[in-house]
Amino acid sequence: MKLSCLILGDFLFGETLYEDYLGFLKNHFEIYYNCDLKFPDLIIGWGSGCFTLLENINKLNDKVLMLISPYLDFDMFFKWIYNDNNWRKKYLFLSGIDNERYLKVDIDYSFLLGKKLFLSEMNLYNNKTYIIYGNENKLVPIEYGLKLGLLLNGTSFHLIEDAGFSPFYDKCDEFRKIVEEFVINENF
């Protein structure tokens, strides 16, 4: 029986962006995009997908979590979407995704505007958490990941050289190695 994995994230991109990433995960996990957070063995959040995960972290004790480029303040990055006619190009530039074909035109971020995430006491949350960042991330400051590492008990922080907001896209082999060596081998 395969393990289960829930993926939450900035799914404004077509599956071609995730092709290698998903293919790799499907070798180890049954993939879900919508299920009860208490069900899967592994929960992966990417960008805005980390919001749902972190908002519910007090209900996820003893879960294995992987946070890829997590936001703490969505407004800081995306209020300009409604004020900038060139937001698609700006997002592509900042995210490091170099091909506009991955971007869906009809994406609606309105449900995320006004959201800020506040985690209270340090080491209050008991999850095995893996935070993965690219050192070239122009969209989410690395300080966010480091701050989360201090707040979450049981955190392992991984920095991928020459990768940006989407390290699984930029440096697929390095990302895979981290997931296999740390997330899978340490927990499953």
Side-chain angles (χ1 to χ4, degrees):
M1 185 171 132
K2 273 190 177 179
L3 298 164
S4 57
C5 173
L6 172 63
I7 299 177
L8 306 166
D10 288 345
F11 292 110
L12 51 106
F13 302 106
E15 255 195 41
T16 45
L17 175 64
Y18 302 102
E19 206 169 282
D20 290 336
Y21 171 49
L22 287 176
F24 164 73
L25 287 175
K26 287 177 181 178
N27 289 332
H28 301 280
F29 299 96
E30 188 72 38
I31 305 295
Y32 296 88
Y33 298 99
N34 187 13
C35 69
D36 186 322
L37 289 174
K38 295 177 185 174
F39 166 71
D41 299 300
L42 170 66
I43 305 173
I44 299 173
W46 175 46
S48 63
C50 296
F51 257 35
T52 302
L53 200 151
L54 291 169
E55 284 177 326
N56 291 285
I57 196 133
N58 60 342
K59 301 173 192 168
L60 301 175
N61 281 336
D62 303 319
K63 285 287 180 187
V64 179
L65 311 176
M66 189 165 65
L67 305 173
I68 305 165
S69 304
Y71 307 147
L72 296 178
D73 180 351
F74 196 87
D75 280 0
M76 180 177 171
F77 303 103
F78 287 102
K79 267 208 168 159
W80 47 259
I81 283 177
Y82 291 105
N83 300 323
D84 187 343
N85 291 333
N86 294 318
W87 72 268
R88 288 175 183 84
K89 289 184 188 240
K90 192 173 189 181
Y91 185 90
L92 288 170
F93 170 75
L94 292 174
S95 68
I97 307 297
D98 60 2
N99 194 325
E100 199 162 345
R101 71 190 165 119
Y102 294 124
L103 195 60
K104 285 186 184 172
V105 176
D106 59 347
I107 194 68
D108 178 14
Y109 285 109
S110 60
F111 73 101
L112 286 169
L113 291 175
K115 280 194 160 195
K116 294 183 190 312
L117 186 65
F118 299 102
L119 297 176
S120 54
E121 299 175 32
M122 192 177 297
N123 294 323
L124 177 66
Y125 309 98
N126 296 308
N127 304 85
K128 185 63 179 176
T129 305
Y130 299 86
I131 299 174
I132 302 174
Y133 264 83
N135 72 328
E136 299 291 325
N137 192 335
K138 293 181 179 99
L139 196 57
V140 184
I142 196 168
E143 291 79 16
Y144 279 21
L146 295 171
K147 181 177 180 180
L148 277 173
L150 293 173
L151 291 170
L152 303 174
N153 192 20
T155 298
S156 177
F157 186 88
H158 301 271
L159 187 65
I160 299 178
E161 295 293 321
D162 301 320
F165 176 65
S166 310
F168 53 84
Y169 172 71
D170 299 328
K171 293 289 186 168
C172 192
D173 290 338
E174 287 89 339
F175 182 85
R176 242 182 280 179
K177 185 177 178 183
I178 290 169
V179 174
E180 272 185 341
E181 288 184 16
F182 296 95
V183 180
I184 294 172
N185 288 343
E186 289 181 3
N187 297 288
F188 305 110

